[in-house]
Amino acid sequence: MKFTEEHEWLQVEGDLVVVGITEHAAEQLGDIVFVELPEEGATVSKDDEIVVIESVKAASDILAPLDGEIVEVNEALVDNPGAVNDDPQGEAWFFKMKVEDLSALDDLMDEAAYKDFIS
């Protein structure tokens, strides 16, 4: 698992990268009440705003961590956005993407570096 400074996690599954937000981010946001996901088939560039999350505290944008194509979104979050609070680094992933260059993951933090980053 890799992590960004924007508190996203990335997990490689075959030739896809699964993306969600970290437990730390979910705790900071508070109770999540709305999630707007990107369109399947959308081509995104790193740092594009692609997910909107609204909590009782604030609205936040999630940025694309890498260049690629959105191939699947977690539709369950539309009906149950609170799942992000329950299992942010598991069942509450946001989208899966096919990335142009998997070596771009090498520039991201591993779990130990992320824990240092948030402490």
Side-chain angles (χ1 to χ4, degrees):
M1 197 172 268
K2 294 289 191 167
F3 299 87
T4 70
E5 290 185 0
E6 290 75 33
H7 307 287
E8 297 162 324
W9 59 263
L10 293 84
Q11 179 75 44
V12 176
E13 284 185 359
D15 63 343
L16 301 179
V17 176
V18 183
V19 181
I21 62 169
T22 65
E23 194 170 314
H24 174 78
E27 288 171 5
Q28 296 300 309
L29 286 168
D31 292 334
I32 295 172
V33 296
F34 175 79
V35 176
E36 181 180 319
L37 298 168
E39 293 289 321
E40 288 183 9
T43 300
V44 298
S45 297
K46 184 180 185 318
D47 296 331
D48 285 353
E49 295 175 357
I50 57 172
V51 174
V52 176
I53 301 174
E54 291 181 11
S55 71
V56 293
K57 292 182 182 180
S60 300
D61 292 318
I62 302 298
L63 307 178
L66 304 166
D67 297 337
E69 177 187 354
I70 306 299
V71 296
E72 185 179 345
V73 296
N74 190 350
E75 293 289 347
L77 297 182
V78 175
D79 295 329
N80 183 16
V84 176
N85 296 111
D86 298 333
D87 191 13
Q89 289 182 221
E91 292 299 314
W93 54 273
F94 288 136
F95 57 88
K96 296 180 182 182
M97 64 188 303
K98 184 175 285 254
V99 299
E100 297 166 7
D101 182 11
L102 279 176
S103 70
L105 289 163
D106 296 341
D107 296 334
L108 302 176
M109 292 179 275
D110 62 15
E111 189 170 3
Y114 180 72
K115 285 182 176 177
D116 286 345
F117 175 73
I118 60 174
S119 65

